[in-house]
Amino acid sequence: MIIEYIIPRLDFSAAGKASTDMKHRLTQLGLPPALIKRVAIAMYEAEMNIAIHGDGGRAEIEISKDGITTCFIDHGPGIPDIELAMQEGYSTASEEIRDMGFGAGMGLPNMKKNADELIIQSELNKGTTVQMHFRLPAGEP
Ligand SMILES: Nc1ncnc2c1ncn2[C@@H]1O[C@H](COP(=O)(O)OP(=O)(O)OP(=O)(O)O)[C@@H](O)[C@H]1O
Ligand SMILES: [Mg+2]
């Protein structure tokens, strides 16, 4: 099953839609609450990054017997130094964005912590792709 979400640029009323919808779907599938929580937290950070830093984009989520794979794709400015961006507290968010409560520089570290795998690919002025994988516990469908 593949599910796609469009993530608009800087639309804070739509913020968190993909992660919220996925949380409901995974709950309906009867997956363990701890896993659902990790997916929802990591997806929320990824979709906010696309909305705030990536000029908008999309998410593709695949649910299979191997687990949950999420792919976040944008065609924004790209990340010049991924290693630096991964550091806790590093943020290029504007004053205005910080006033809205974002820009702590904790999104990417949070994604790393919650996903079983995190792969970031980025090209300057071309865009960014963030892929995360979450394994299903043994015995789940
Ligand atoms: N999709 C993206 N496109 C371009 N730059 C990005 C993207 N995602 C992250 N970045 C860069 O990486 C930095 C760190 O991202 P991270 O999510 O850790 O922190 P933040 O978004 O600035 O703050 P927080 O997530 O805590 O609100 C961002 O400030 C931005 O410079
Ligand atoms: Mg962020």
Side-chain angles (χ1 to χ4, degrees):
M1 179 173 25
I2 293 181
I3 301 146
E4 186 169 350
Y5 299 98
I6 301 297
I7 302 165
R9 166 179 188 270
L10 294 174
D11 179 354
F12 292 97
S13 64
K17 264 197 176 159
S19 51
T20 303
D21 184 73
M22 190 52 55
K23 197 168 159 181
H24 294 313
R25 283 172 186 266
L26 298 178
T27 304
Q28 266 166 7
L29 289 172
L31 294 177
L35 171 66
I36 296 174
K37 195 170 169 187
R38 286 198 290 124
V39 173
I41 290 171
M43 277 190 65
Y44 177 77
E45 296 291 0
E47 68 179 305
M48 291 317 298
N49 277 357
I50 286 199
I52 292 172
H53 309 292
D55 254 349
R58 67 180 207 275
E60 287 173 12
I61 320 297
E62 183 170 10
I63 305 170
S64 75
K65 61 174 174 18
D66 297 327
I68 301 154
T69 303
T70 70
C71 201
F72 290 81
I73 302 140
D74 71 59
H75 300 289
I79 304 175
D81 185 340
I82 294 176
E83 207 179 314
L84 181 63
M86 285 299 306
Q87 309 223 335
E88 289 188 9
Y90 178 83
S91 176
T92 60
S94 66
E95 196 68 37
E96 196 187 346
I97 293 289
R98 285 170 197 263
D99 285 344
M100 296 177 73
F102 301 99
M106 290 307 291
L108 288 170
N110 237 340
M111 285 150 70
K112 174 98 188 156
K113 204 160 63 189
N114 282 285
D116 291 310
E117 253 178 76
L118 169 69
I119 300 167
I120 303 173
Q121 285 167 303
S122 193
E123 211 177 323
L124 273 192
N125 303 316
K126 289 253 169 75
T128 302
T129 300
V130 174
Q131 197 175 316
M132 292 185 283
H133 183 72
F134 304 84
R135 284 189 296 271
L136 289 187
E140 292 292 336

